[in-house]
């Protein structure tokens, strides 16, 4: 078994366009997350809490937590 490093990238939606999230973003956004392994939430813009929970579950299932 090889160890795969999982990196999560966060995205926000602006006018229906998926853009990379930055630390300077303020306000209310819809979010999605993508992992380096190919896993993607594909919600189209969910709450940050929901995506955070999905990321946590992904990490548990993949054994990277």
């Amino acid at each position: 078994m090889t160890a795969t490093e999982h990196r999560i990238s966060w995205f926000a939606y602006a006018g229906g366009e998926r853009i990379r999230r930055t630390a300077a973003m303020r306000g209310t956004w819809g979010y999605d997350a993508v992992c380096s392994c190919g896993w993607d939430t594909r919600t189209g813009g969910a709450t940050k809490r929901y995506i955070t929970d999905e990321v946590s579950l992904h990490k548990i299932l993949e054994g990277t937590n």
Side-chain angles (χ1 to χ4, degrees):
M1 183 166 117
T2 61
T4 302
E5 185 173 342
H6 293 263
R7 292 182 188 264
I8 302 296
S9 298
W10 283 80
F11 293 88
Y13 286 85
E17 183 181 348
R18 187 174 178 169
I19 58 174
R20 188 138 188 147
R21 185 194 176 279
T22 66
M25 290 179 159
R26 299 291 181 255
T28 304
W29 298 85
Y31 294 97
D32 265 329
V34 176
C35 183
S36 58
C37 73
W39 174 85
D40 190 341
T41 55
R42 296 185 187 134
T43 64
T47 63
K48 187 174 183 180
R49 173 63 188 255
Y50 178 81
I51 300 300
T52 300
D53 289 347
E54 291 293 302
V55 167
S56 295
L57 180 61
H58 172 65
K59 287 181 175 182
I60 290 168
L61 294 175
E62 293 298 319
T64 61
N65 198 9

